[in-house]
Amino acid sequence: MTNINQISEQPELPLICIYKNRGIEIINDETIKFFNKASAYSLIQENDDSEMYSSDMKILTLEQKADKFKNTKWNRFLAKTIYNPSFDVNLNWKQIGTYNLTDLKAEIKNCIDKDDDILTQFVDADFFKHKIEESSDFTHLIDNLNKYRFEIKDEESIWKENEEWNNKK
């Protein structure tokens, strides 16, 4: 890993986001807009549970800051109990390291191993890990994540492909 660097602008999308080595999300032009607002409760959380992987081999974190929210004892109490408003936030990107494709594939396969039928609701875990492993670059990895988990277009063909792969084993 390299040193921590503040990045002045949003990195090129898409990004692969891994949450606590359990969940995976693809951050793209459509989903990035959901990061522009945050609840008071999420603003008082001090630990970031995600790492984002970019196509240029950087590992990033994202910090949300709201000018209109003050992190006081009173506001923390309200956010945790009865009043949890949302705020427009500024996004502060930080590079926390670099990675190689093999490391990212291992992180994704680890998430699949820990999965509770969220990532693997359309395909078997072994088949999905095989598809991740055969990804030759970041773009191919995104394509396989989308095809087998996030942007399911034809469930029947995916099930058939999964079944054929299982029969070859």
Side-chain angles (χ1 to χ4, degrees), residues 124-168:
D124 294 335
D126 288 340
F127 175 73
F128 197 19
K129 289 190 291 187
H130 166 73
K131 288 300 185 179
I132 296 304
E133 188 58 42
E134 78 172 16
S135 300
S136 58
D137 58 25
F138 186 84
T139 301
H140 193 208
L141 194 53
I142 291 280
D143 290 345
N144 279 334
L145 286 168
N146 278 329
K147 180 177 180 180
Y148 298 104
R149 173 55 190 105
F150 295 109
E151 295 177 4
I152 305 298
K153 291 185 171 63
D154 185 358
E155 286 179 44
E156 281 190 40
S157 70
I158 290 172
W159 290 335
K160 184 177 179 184
E161 184 181 352
N162 189 146
E163 187 175 317
E164 288 171 359
W165 181 82
N166 279 323
N167 290 336
K168 288 181 186 178

Side-chain angles (χ1 to χ4, degrees), residues 3-160:
N3 61 340
I4 297 177
N5 296 317
Q6 185 80 24
I7 297 175
S8 60
E9 58 189 46
Q10 175 182 301
E12 183 179 334
L13 300 176
L15 302 169
I16 296 174
C17 183
I18 297 181
Y19 296 94
K20 290 187 182 179
N21 291 322
R22 288 190 59 101
I24 300 172
E25 181 178 4
I26 295 176
I27 309 300
N28 57 32
D29 292 326
E30 293 176 30
T31 58
I32 192 68
K33 63 186 170 197
F34 298 111
F35 290 87
N36 292 323
K37 279 201 173 285
S39 68
Y41 183 77
S42 65
L43 291 170
I44 64 175
Q45 300 301 306
E46 295 193 14
N47 59 339
D48 186 18
D49 67 347
S50 66
E51 292 181 341
M52 298 182 192
Y53 296 79
S54 68
S55 62
D56 59 355
M57 313 310 264
K58 294 177 182 172
I59 304 171
L60 309 162
T61 61
L62 178 61
E63 181 181 40
Q64 297 170 307
K65 291 285 187 186
D67 295 333
K68 294 182 178 181
F69 177 75
K70 303 301 177 214
N71 192 352
T72 64
K73 286 182 183 180
W74 178 246
N75 284 341
R76 285 192 301 273
F77 170 76
L78 289 173
K80 291 179 182 180
T81 56
I82 58 173
Y83 184 62
N84 189 24
S86 291
F87 296 91
D88 291 326
V89 295
N90 298 315
L91 304 179
N92 297 321
W93 297 90
K94 291 181 184 174
Q95 180 180 343
I96 59 169
T98 59
Y99 73 93
N100 63 48
L101 192 62
T102 303
D103 294 338
L104 178 54
K105 288 180 193 180
E107 291 285 336
I108 293 170
K109 290 189 291 186
N110 184 40
C111 290
I112 294 169
D113 286 338
K114 293 178 178 178
D115 182 48
D116 191 22
D117 292 331
I118 302 298
L119 295 172
T120 56
Q121 63 191 91
F122 298 103
V123 293
D124 294 335
D126 288 340
F127 175 73
F128 197 19
K129 289 190 291 187
H130 166 73
K131 288 300 185 179
I132 296 304
E133 188 58 42
E134 78 172 16
S135 300
S136 58
D137 58 25
F138 186 84
T139 301
H140 193 208
L141 194 53
I142 291 280
D143 290 345
N144 279 334
L145 286 168
N146 278 329
K147 180 177 180 180
Y148 298 104
R149 173 55 190 105
F150 295 109
E151 295 177 4
I152 305 298
K153 291 185 171 63
D154 185 358
E155 286 179 44
E156 281 190 40
S157 70
I158 290 172
W159 290 335
K160 184 177 179 184

